[in-house]
Amino acid sequence: MSLSSVDVIRIPTSGPGDTSGLIKLIETGRIDPKSILAILGKTEGNGGVNDFTREYSTVALAGVLASRLGISTEEVEHRIAFVMSGGTEGVLSPHITVFTRTPLPASQARRTEGKRLSIGIAHTREFRPEELGRRAQIAETAAAVRKAMTEAAISDVADVHFVQVKCPLLTSERVDAAEARGAGTVTKSSYASMGYSRGASALGVALALGELAAEPREEDVLRRWDLFSAVASSSAGIELMHNVVVVMGNSVSSSSDLVIGHAVMKDAIDAAAVRAALGSVGLRADGTSNAAIGERIVNIFAKAEAAPDGLVRGLRHTMLNDTDISSTRHARAAVGGLVAGLAGTTAVYVSGGAEHQGPAGGGPVAVIARA
Amino acid sequence: MSLSSVDVIRIPTSGPGDTSGLIKLIETGRIDPKSILAILGKTEGNGGVNDFTREYSTVALAGVLASRLGISTEEVEHRIAFVMSGGTEGVLSPHITVFTRTPLPASQARRTEGKRLSIGIAHTREFRPEELGRRAQIAETAAAVRKAMTEAAISDVADVHFVQVKCPLLTSERVDAAEARGAGTVTKSSYASMGYSRGASALGVALALGELAAEPREEDVLRRWDLFSAVASSSAGIELMHNVVVVMGNSVSSSSDLVIGHAVMKDAIDAAAVRAALGSVGLRADGTSNAAIGERIVNIFAKAEAAPDGLVRGLRHTMLNDTDISSTRHARAAVGGLVAGLAGTTAVYVSGGAEHQGPAGGGPVAVIARA
Amino acid sequence: MSLSSVDVIRIPTSGPGDTSGLIKLIETGRIDPKSILAILGKTEGNGGVNDFTREYSTVALAGVLASRLGISTEEVEHRIAFVMSGGTEGVLSPHITVFTRTPLPASQARRTEGKRLSIGIAHTREFRPEELGRRAQIAETAAAVRKAMTEAAISDVADVHFVQVKCPLLTSERVDAAEARGAGTVTKSSYASMGYSRGASALGVALALGELAAEPREEDVLRRWDLFSAVASSSAGIELMHNVVVVMGNSVSSSSDLVIGHAVMKDAIDAAAVRAALGSVGLRADGTSNAAIGERIVNIFAKAEAAPDGLVRGLRHTMLNDTDISSTRHARAAVGGLVAGLAGTTAVYVSGGAEHQGPAGGGPVAVIARA
Amino acid sequence: MSLSSVDVIRIPTSGPGDTSGLIKLIETGRIDPKSILAILGKTEGNGGVNDFTREYSTVALAGVLASRLGISTEEVEHRIAFVMSGGTEGVLSPHITVFTRTPLPASQARRTEGKRLSIGIAHTREFRPEELGRRAQIAETAAAVRKAMTEAAISDVADVHFVQVKCPLLTSERVDAAEARGAGTVTKSSYASMGYSRGASALGVALALGELAAEPREEDVLRRWDLFSAVASSSAGIELMHNVVVVMGNSVSSSSDLVIGHAVMKDAIDAAAVRAALGSVGLRADGTSNAAIGERIVNIFAKAEAAPDGLVRGLRHTMLNDTDISSTRHARAAVGGLVAGLAGTTAVYVSGGAEHQGPAGGGPVAVIARA
């Protein structure tokens, strides 16, 4: 079995256009641009439709990597999965997380004890607009998850701890194109299509990982909140028409220094779940040492959302009725405060829009830490 | 020594005009309107200059109590301290907390074991506009704190765990009135005056409680962030020109079922401080039972603010640069998420604007719980 | 034919709870509280779901009128139509407009030259939740418009220049109640139901006034933007389950000093339509005298909305993609700037949410002025 | 006298990163990249501190021009003045305006009738942080205006109709650097420094153009609102430490097809001033033909601000008390609605922050149109 070395590096940014941290790590040899598989980032926009910090950050990073790799930015964006999550509300600190993988030559290969962090990436085929939020997106995503697991050399679904999906959304042009062919889309609203696409993608993950009793039906999307994946995290973006799936788990084929674990927050204040996620990678969240914990954490990945029934543990929240601040911003701020408090660091990846990603009002929380 | 019975009742609200919970508790005899000393509330506005939910809530509650007590609303507002804190960002749940005190007849007086929750209230004299944010406000607040301690039968400053101050702000009319007399105010901006008034009030609390090495100078207000009170919480309101001081602590003269304790958050993610505050009233925040903790808590009172240096534990936050959402909203959402997570309940009192209330970027956190 | 005297008084407010202007006019005899038919107001909230300034203003005004009329606030709210429109973006100035009607004794009746301002009010029956946004609401509103025209002694639909409708919205309780009876509502979203209710109400007005070629079908609501009323203005509120219709027009039976006219803005920058509306009541908007025009205007009533196709005269607008500011706030600010600029006064009634009220992206604009 | 040909091309954009319109005009030969003097843009951010659309747009445009001109992006940003104004509230449509100048060979030179649009650019020296908002910035800006007038071959100040200044702001690093040298800055707040820098720059323009009775004193900045320039428009940006001055006026040395004129809005609803500005370049704003006017306009440039006394023509506005939306956004939306309505087009340049640029609450409005 061939081994690979997987690394994850978190880099603070001073703005959405700041690539200086990445450049420095490339120049010092800490990061080999050829080894980069994916970059997940938190950028300081509003996380909504008019959040251009995601696009700006992707353009800036792809530009740097294009010049370093001697390829075009289009090729960079095809080779590397860029997932920018807008919104650093409250204490959240803007940063990027770079995922690298290097095959180890047999001579260098040194078996680590136990399973270690492994990453696999796969793409679905291009979708037609009318397929978003529907059966095709679910099924194709499931197939891509299985493919990415194979690439990551993870055979047991129990070893999968986080699946980041980047998925398309509808624009009026895409809706029109579908209608011109006589095909209706699941919604005509761009904003609403983001939820459908995220939700169907998450159900695809759940399907691949055996988290559902039966194959989900199209009409379950955004309705049957009891159907969800405990490890899916999906983000919709305008720049693609297929899904990109990044599977993260532990594998015997990895000689990484890192491990990953996860838990599921049942609601937005589920401190016990955050502690369980920390505990799953050997970090004691005993309430006295969160600064120390922060040192060992490479990053935490969590999804946040406002409970759709308007309640957290029986008490009313006001996130869904606020016409001034969108509920995703509220949810990221609150869950970010809790996760950062327990983890002892604020450069954590808390992302909004958790349809079928964890239970309603809750969400997955995964931790990558030094073994 | 005469004993008094002090009670604290938290009541969820369905909107800023909702008084039904209070009415019901009055009608069932749970609350005697004559015993009400103070009502602290979280209302669902933006907590800024144009947050009318505070005023609406006060008007509605005062109206109910006026009819029950057979006095005018002006008399109600004079007798009872209403402190409405706007902003229920993230998971925070709108609610009011009613503080009552009933003198116990000697026959009924039953000594409790140890010190129990006691509350005292005092008012300063009216301030002139030019006194806000300056020496007079500091000194008069300090005197009022000492008076309120006496009323609460608390002699040791170590027994004081939370001091809520309601203080005035400047309006253009007030600035003009001062200038017409040839007196300059500390600022001409209404918004900025809120910070000066809160800050000077907090320094007055610190002075009274012996938390400062020397008497603070006028120029220290909003500058010397190392000077602060560990228990002060101040809110500025347009409807008064004097300070109202509510001292909460533990006293041997109280036969309350409740106790109060506190800790100081060093920064906005200081989970250890929240746990210490819970621990100070006997609640084990060991990370497994936050729902159970929520049951025993009457309420938590915390102040939150964006660290003025733009950093939380060395990492950049974006709260102070956000032109879309004010930093106080960000801070309440994040600290609210952490406090609610550790406390297991979202109807907690997290208030913004923590000048000289705890260290820069941090703030006091007090817990009232059943003994 | 009996004559009535109709008056309209615009009163600036210093906040949503400010009733001092109304009280003063009552005390000086300028307004007889018994003659008040309706109060339309612009309050300084966000105009969205969590805009409590509308409710606060209504409660405050109804409280004052209850004490003056010696009846309960419930009776006041039944007798007088309160329509509070939230949102004073840009230059818009908070104010209320009080509409009064007094029957004139035959002896006093003096015929004015030509038709003068007349007002009629009618209520529909209570709706069931599942009727909102559907045929019943359309038909019942049409019937109420005809009834209100009769009350206003207006027989020709060409004399109707503004029809303000206050209509219900759905809450989760109302949706649940319908579903418990096996009836489905047009939407489950409170926010979306406001649009359906406003839209169906406007189509009801259009039907009554003969503005449609055929009776509108249920599926036309929020879809057939070519169907609209040129004089309808509808606002959804949580506090009622029926429609209240206020018809404003000119009638030979009125001896008012005032007249009303209107035009239809084709898009959000249709300056020509605003000028035409001013011209219809004899005000020359010739571009040099807008301060003078402001003197003669009693008020202007306009509806504003972001063009659903994302374009104004072929150029892209960004109102529908802004996650920070709702499109209704953008639209009120822009149309308010134009209307105030041409009218020479900022205390104008520009209201958002113009479904089937004027063409898509445009809206009715009516002017009441001294004859 | 050598003639030059000056052109101004307005290009709609589909987002802050959209350079396709510029590229197309370069490729079709309509724009020669070597002739570009300045690009003024409206981008769809919030116009505040965290508006990254300005930077993103500049980076994208400079990147395109660098590759077309065969120079570095740094050289592009030095050669061409990029002034991006964030905020397309209400009907405002994102776009860029490209200013070009080509010297005409004597053979080609054809005298036009009367004066035509001419543009001159000049830079001040670098400022030290402590000079911002103070005498040095005023004086150096005035000198640069004179230099730019010479470059534009405009000798009479009456021929200057718009002076766009791009000026620096303070950051905490810059404040620290000054303090390390023992020098105090005019303010420590980044946000406040923008106002000081804009204000001092505008006073520099006023000084150069003889609009002031006496040389302004340092203490007049942001205090003496009666001192202002009728043609200054200044924008603060983080990327430079000197002022860039773009003077626009009419000159006999220009053979442009375009002319420029201006007027001064006395307040935010000064429709007469907008009409006067249109009239100054021969456009009849007679109230019936705003679509036709839109055809002939190349662009309108206006500054907007909330009146600091809280009133527009005696009636209260709420822009300065809104904690949800900054006053600059309100002001741009309202003035944008009025200007677009009278001009018949929404791709107009309305910019916020008008300190000493026109009277308090008002601002300059300039029009470039085909002669």
Side-chain angles (χ1 to χ4, degrees):
Chain A
M1 186 191 282
S2 73
L3 277 179
S4 64
S5 168
V6 166
D7 206 358
V8 182
I9 305 102
R10 182 176 51 168
I11 307 173
T13 53
S14 66
D18 177 26
T19 58
S20 62
L22 176 62
I23 289 174
K24 196 173 164 186
L25 290 176
I26 291 175
E27 291 182 346
T28 60
R30 174 78 177 80
I31 293 179
D32 175 0
K34 289 194 298 295
S35 71
I36 299 176
L37 282 181
I39 300 183
L40 268 66
K42 284 300 310 176
T43 61
E44 55 205 284
N46 62 28
V49 177
N50 65 329
D51 181 351
F52 299 100
T53 63
R54 297 173 300 210
E55 177 185 316
Y56 181 20
S57 180
T58 300
V59 165
L61 292 168
V64 165
L65 292 172
S67 79
R68 302 281 164 169
L69 293 167
I71 58 178
S72 72
T73 56
E74 289 70 30
E75 286 172 296
V76 170
E77 295 199 36
H78 184 74
R79 181 196 290 197
I80 298 172
F82 292 89
V83 184
M84 296 297 151
S85 164
T88 56
E89 294 80 7
V91 295
L92 295 173
S93 186
H95 69 281
I96 57 172
T97 307
V98 180
F99 296 82
T100 65
R101 187 177 59 200
T102 322
L104 286 190
S107 60
Q108 244 192 294
R110 149 190 70 84
R111 283 302 304 270
T112 53
E113 217 175 318
K115 295 171 179 171
R116 291 297 173 85
L117 178 66
S118 184
I119 295 172
I121 295 193
H123 297 241
T124 68
R125 64 166 169 80
E126 299 282 298
F127 294 117
R128 289 193 303 276
E130 62 270 29
E131 291 179 325
L132 296 187
R134 291 184 171 149
R135 185 181 307 271
Q137 194 177 21
I138 299 172
E140 294 292 328
T141 303
V145 170
R146 289 184 204 106
K147 210 167 124 194
M149 281 179 64
T150 303
E151 203 204 44
I154 300 174
S155 50
D156 187 349
V157 294
D159 284 326
V160 175
H161 293 286
F162 201 66
V163 181
Q164 176 66 46
V165 182
K166 193 178 179 187
C167 55
L169 53 83
L170 292 173
T171 61
S172 45
E173 291 76 21
R174 292 168 184 175
V175 171
D176 290 350
E179 295 194 338
R181 291 195 313 273
T185 53
V186 69
T187 175
K188 293 185 178 189
S189 151
S190 292
Y191 186 80
S193 77
M194 297 170 79
Y196 277 102
S197 184
R198 285 190 302 252
S201 299
L203 287 176
V205 176
L207 180 60
L209 300 182
E211 301 180 273
L212 305 176
E215 192 150 340
R217 298 168 307 163
E218 253 172 46
E219 56 266 40
D220 297 338
V221 180
L222 303 195
R223 284 202 193 79
R224 285 278 307 275
W225 297 122
D226 58 313
L227 307 180
F228 62 84
S229 168
V231 296
S233 164
S234 42
S235 301
I238 199 171
E239 69 277 25
L240 76 180
M241 271 310 285
H242 65 285
N243 276 16
V244 183
V245 171
V246 184
V247 165
M248 306 183 197
N250 297 318
S251 164
V252 290
S253 299
S254 168
S255 70
S256 173
D257 293 332
L258 309 174
V259 287
I260 186 170
H262 85 280
V264 179
M265 294 178 74
K266 286 187 203 70
D267 58 30
I269 61 169
D270 191 355
V274 182
R275 286 197 195 93
L278 291 167
S280 75
V281 291
L283 297 172
R284 294 275 304 281
D286 57 3
T288 51
S289 57
N290 63 351
I293 291 173
E295 295 287 300
R296 279 194 50 209
I297 289 174
V298 175
N299 212 339
I300 298 197
F301 303 88
K303 290 294 287 195
E305 72 175 359
D309 66 355
L311 300 173
V312 177
R313 299 204 189 162
L315 289 168
R316 184 169 71 98
H317 69 74
T318 61
M319 299 186 260
L320 292 171
N321 290 333
D322 192 343
T323 302
D324 298 311
I325 300 180
S326 67
S327 66
T328 50
R329 304 202 75 177
H330 277 292
R332 277 191 298 266
V335 173
L338 177 60
V339 169
L342 296 180
T345 176
T346 59
V348 292
Y349 182 95
V350 176
S351 167
E355 301 88 350
H356 301 296
Q357 302 148 63
V365 54
V367 185
I368 297 179
R370 278 171 237 299
Chain B
M1 187 192 282
S2 73
L3 276 178
S4 65
S5 168
V6 165
D7 207 358
V8 182
I9 305 101
R10 182 175 52 168
I11 308 172
T13 53
S14 66
D18 177 26
T19 56
S20 63
L22 176 63
I23 290 173
K24 197 172 165 188
L25 291 176
I26 291 174
E27 290 182 345
T28 59
R30 174 75 177 81
I31 292 180
D32 175 0
K34 286 193 301 294
S35 71
I36 299 176
L37 282 181
I39 300 183
L40 269 64
K42 284 300 309 175
T43 61
E44 56 205 283
N46 61 28
V49 177
N50 65 328
D51 181 352
F52 299 100
T53 63
R54 297 173 300 210
E55 177 185 315
Y56 181 21
S57 180
T58 301
V59 165
L61 292 168
V64 164
L65 292 172
S67 78
R68 301 285 164 165
L69 292 167
I71 59 179
S72 72
T73 55
E74 289 72 28
E75 286 173 297
V76 169
E77 294 199 37
H78 184 75
R79 180 195 290 196
I80 298 173
F82 292 90
V83 184
M84 295 298 151
S85 164
T88 57
E89 293 81 7
V91 295
L92 295 173
S93 187
H95 68 281
I96 57 171
T97 306
V98 180
F99 296 81
T100 64
R101 186 177 59 199
T102 322
L104 286 190
S107 60
Q108 245 192 292
R110 151 188 69 84
R111 283 301 305 267
T112 54
E113 216 176 316
K115 295 171 179 173
R116 292 298 174 83
L117 178 67
S118 184
I119 294 172
I121 294 191
H123 297 240
T124 68
R125 64 167 169 79
E126 299 281 299
F127 294 118
R128 289 193 303 276
E130 63 269 29
E131 292 179 326
L132 295 188
R134 290 183 172 150
R135 187 181 306 273
Q137 195 177 21
I138 299 173
E140 295 291 328
T141 304
V145 170
R146 290 184 203 106
K147 209 166 125 193
M149 282 179 65
T150 303
E151 202 204 48
I154 300 175
S155 50
D156 186 349
V157 294
D159 285 327
V160 175
H161 293 286
F162 201 67
V163 180
Q164 177 67 46
V165 182
K166 193 180 181 186
C167 55
L169 54 84
L170 292 174
T171 61
S172 45
E173 290 77 19
R174 290 168 185 175
V175 171
D176 292 348
E179 295 195 337
R181 288 195 318 273
T185 52
V186 70
T187 175
K188 292 185 177 188
S189 151
S190 293
Y191 186 79
S193 77
M194 297 171 78
Y196 278 101
S197 185
R198 285 191 300 252
S201 299
L203 287 176
V205 176
L207 180 61
L209 300 182
E211 300 180 272
L212 304 177
E215 193 149 338
R217 297 168 308 161
E218 254 172 47
E219 56 267 40
D220 296 339
V221 180
L222 303 196
R223 284 200 193 81
R224 286 278 308 276
W225 297 123
D226 57 312
L227 307 180
F228 61 84
S229 168
V231 296
S233 164
S234 43
S235 300
I238 200 171
E239 69 276 25
L240 77 179
M241 271 309 286
H242 65 284
N243 275 17
V244 183
V245 172
V246 183
V247 164
M248 306 183 196
N250 296 317
S251 164
V252 291
S253 299
S254 169
S255 71
S256 173
D257 293 334
L258 309 174
V259 287
I260 186 169
H262 85 280
V264 179
M265 294 179 74
K266 284 188 205 69
D267 58 29
I269 62 169
D270 191 355
V274 181
R275 287 197 195 93
L278 291 167
S280 74
V281 291
L283 297 172
R284 294 275 304 281
D286 58 3
T288 51
S289 57
N290 63 352
I293 290 173
E295 295 287 299
R296 278 194 49 210
I297 290 175
V298 175
N299 212 338
I300 297 196
F301 303 87
K303 289 294 287 195
E305 72 175 359
D309 66 357
L311 301 173
V312 178
R313 299 203 189 164
L315 289 168
R316 185 169 70 99
H317 69 73
T318 61
M319 298 187 261
L320 293 172
N321 290 332
D322 192 343
T323 302
D324 298 313
I325 301 180
S326 66
S327 65
T328 50
R329 304 202 76 176
H330 277 291
R332 277 191 298 267
V335 173
L338 177 60
V339 168
L342 296 179
T345 176
T346 58
V348 292
Y349 183 95
V350 177
S351 168
E355 301 88 351
H356 301 294
Q357 302 149 63
V365 52
V367 185
I368 297 178
R370 277 170 237 301
Chain C
M1 186 190 283
S2 73
L3 276 180
S4 64
S5 168
V6 165
D7 206 358
V8 182
I9 305 102
R10 182 176 52 168
I11 307 172
T13 53
S14 65
D18 176 27
T19 57
S20 62
L22 176 62
I23 289 174
K24 195 171 164 188
L25 291 176
I26 291 175
E27 291 182 346
T28 59
R30 175 76 178 82
I31 293 179
D32 175 1
K34 288 194 299 295
S35 71
I36 299 175
L37 281 181
I39 300 183
L40 268 65
K42 284 300 309 176
T43 61
E44 55 205 283
N46 61 28
V49 177
N50 64 329
D51 181 351
F52 299 100
T53 62
R54 297 173 299 210
E55 177 185 315
Y56 180 22
S57 181
T58 301
V59 165
L61 292 168
V64 165
L65 292 171
S67 78
R68 302 283 164 166
L69 292 166
I71 59 178
S72 72
T73 56
E74 290 71 29
E75 287 172 297
V76 169
E77 294 199 37
H78 184 76
R79 182 197 289 198
I80 298 172
F82 291 90
V83 184
M84 295 299 151
S85 163
T88 56
E89 293 81 7
V91 295
L92 294 173
S93 187
H95 68 280
I96 57 172
T97 306
V98 180
F99 296 82
T100 64
R101 187 177 59 200
T102 323
L104 287 190
S107 60
Q108 245 192 292
R110 150 188 70 85
R111 282 303 303 269
T112 53
E113 216 176 317
K115 296 171 179 173
R116 292 296 173 85
L117 178 66
S118 184
I119 294 172
I121 294 192
H123 297 241
T124 68
R125 64 164 170 82
E126 299 281 299
F127 294 118
R128 290 192 303 275
E130 63 269 28
E131 292 179 327
L132 296 187
R134 290 184 171 149
R135 187 181 307 272
Q137 193 177 23
I138 299 173
E140 294 292 328
T141 303
V145 170
R146 290 183 204 105
K147 209 167 125 193
M149 282 179 65
T150 304
E151 200 204 47
I154 300 174
S155 50
D156 186 348
V157 293
D159 285 327
V160 174
H161 294 285
F162 201 66
V163 180
Q164 176 66 47
V165 182
K166 194 179 180 185
C167 55
L169 53 83
L170 292 174
T171 60
S172 44
E173 291 76 20
R174 290 168 184 175
V175 172
D176 291 349
E179 294 194 338
R181 288 194 318 272
T185 53
V186 71
T187 175
K188 292 184 177 187
S189 152
S190 293
Y191 186 79
S193 77
M194 297 171 78
Y196 277 101
S197 184
R198 285 191 300 253
S201 299
L203 287 175
V205 176
L207 180 60
L209 300 182
E211 300 180 273
L212 305 176
E215 193 149 340
R217 299 167 308 160
E218 253 172 45
E219 57 267 40
D220 297 339
V221 179
L222 304 196
R223 282 202 195 80
R224 286 280 306 277
W225 297 123
D226 58 312
L227 306 180
F228 61 84
S229 168
V231 296
S233 164
S234 43
S235 300
I238 201 172
E239 70 276 25
L240 76 179
M241 271 307 287
H242 65 284
N243 277 17
V244 183
V245 171
V246 183
V247 164
M248 306 183 197
N250 296 317
S251 165
V252 291
S253 298
S254 169
S255 72
S256 173
D257 293 333
L258 310 174
V259 288
I260 185 170
H262 85 280
V264 179
M265 294 177 73
K266 287 188 202 69
D267 57 31
I269 61 168
D270 190 355
V274 180
R275 287 196 194 93
L278 291 166
S280 75
V281 291
L283 298 172
R284 294 276 304 280
D286 57 3
T288 51
S289 57
N290 62 354
I293 290 174
E295 296 286 300
R296 279 193 51 208
I297 290 174
V298 174
N299 212 339
I300 297 196
F301 303 88
K303 290 294 287 194
E305 72 175 0
D309 66 356
L311 301 173
V312 178
R313 299 205 188 163
L315 288 168
R316 183 170 71 100
H317 69 73
T318 61
M319 298 187 260
L320 293 171
N321 290 332
D322 192 343
T323 302
D324 298 312
I325 301 180
S326 67
S327 66
T328 50
R329 303 202 76 178
H330 277 292
R332 276 190 299 266
V335 173
L338 177 60
V339 169
L342 296 180
T345 176
T346 59
V348 292
Y349 182 94
V350 176
S351 167
E355 302 88 351
H356 301 295
Q357 301 149 65
V365 52
V367 185
I368 297 179
R370 277 170 237 302
Chain D
M1 186 190 280
S2 73
L3 277 179
S4 65
S5 168
V6 166
D7 205 359
V8 182
I9 305 102
R10 182 175 52 168
I11 308 172
T13 54
S14 67
D18 177 27
T19 57
S20 62
L22 176 63
I23 290 173
K24 196 173 166 186
L25 290 176
I26 290 175
E27 291 182 345
T28 60
R30 174 77 177 80
I31 292 180
D32 176 359
K34 287 194 299 296
S35 71
I36 299 176
L37 283 181
I39 301 183
L40 269 65
K42 284 300 308 176
T43 61
E44 54 205 285
N46 61 29
V49 178
N50 64 329
D51 181 350
F52 299 100
T53 63
R54 296 174 300 209
E55 176 186 315
Y56 181 22
S57 180
T58 301
V59 165
L61 293 168
V64 164
L65 292 172
S67 78
R68 301 283 163 168
L69 292 167
I71 59 178
S72 72
T73 55
E74 289 72 29
E75 287 172 296
V76 170
E77 294 200 36
H78 185 75
R79 181 195 292 196
I80 299 172
F82 291 90
V83 184
M84 295 298 150
S85 164
T88 56
E89 294 80 7
V91 295
L92 294 173
S93 186
H95 68 281
I96 56 172
T97 306
V98 180
F99 296 82
T100 64
R101 186 178 58 200
T102 322
L104 286 190
S107 61
Q108 247 192 291
R110 152 189 66 86
R111 284 302 306 269
T112 53
E113 216 174 318
K115 295 171 179 173
R116 291 298 173 85
L117 178 66
S118 184
I119 295 172
I121 294 192
H123 297 241
T124 67
R125 64 165 169 81
E126 298 282 298
F127 294 118
R128 291 194 301 277
E130 63 269 28
E131 292 179 325
L132 296 186
R134 291 184 171 149
R135 187 181 308 269
Q137 195 177 22
I138 299 173
E140 295 291 328
T141 304
V145 170
R146 290 185 203 106
K147 209 167 124 194
M149 281 178 65
T150 304
E151 201 202 47
I154 300 174
S155 50
D156 186 348
V157 295
D159 284 327
V160 175
H161 293 286
F162 201 66
V163 180
Q164 177 66 47
V165 183
K166 193 180 180 185
C167 54
L169 52 84
L170 292 174
T171 62
S172 44
E173 290 77 20
R174 291 167 185 176
V175 171
D176 291 349
E179 295 195 337
R181 290 195 315 274
T185 52
V186 69
T187 175
K188 293 185 178 186
S189 151
S190 292
Y191 186 79
S193 77
M194 298 171 78
Y196 277 101
S197 184
R198 286 191 299 253
S201 300
L203 288 176
V205 176
L207 179 62
L209 300 182
E211 300 180 273
L212 305 176
E215 194 151 336
R217 298 168 308 161
E218 253 173 48
E219 56 265 41
D220 297 339
V221 180
L222 303 196
R223 283 201 193 81
R224 285 279 307 276
W225 298 122
D226 57 313
L227 307 180
F228 61 85
S229 167
V231 296
S233 164
S234 43
S235 299
I238 200 171
E239 69 277 24
L240 75 179
M241 270 309 286
H242 65 284
N243 276 17
V244 183
V245 171
V246 183
V247 164
M248 305 182 197
N250 296 317
S251 164
V252 290
S253 299
S254 170
S255 72
S256 174
D257 293 333
L258 310 174
V259 289
I260 186 169
H262 85 280
V264 179
M265 295 178 73
K266 285 188 204 69
D267 57 30
I269 61 169
D270 191 354
V274 181
R275 286 196 195 93
L278 291 166
S280 74
V281 291
L283 298 172
R284 293 276 304 281
D286 58 2
T288 52
S289 56
N290 62 352
I293 291 174
E295 295 287 301
R296 279 194 50 209
I297 289 175
V298 176
N299 211 339
I300 298 196
F301 302 88
K303 290 294 288 193
E305 71 175 1
D309 66 355
L311 300 174
V312 178
R313 298 203 189 164
L315 288 168
R316 184 169 70 100
H317 70 73
T318 62
M319 298 186 259
L320 293 172
N321 291 332
D322 192 343
T323 302
D324 297 312
I325 300 179
S326 66
S327 65
T328 50
R329 304 202 76 177
H330 278 291
R332 275 190 299 267
V335 173
L338 177 60
V339 169
L342 296 180
T345 176
T346 60
V348 291
Y349 182 95
V350 177
S351 168
E355 302 87 352
H356 302 294
Q357 300 148 64
V365 53
V367 185
I368 296 178
R370 277 170 238 300

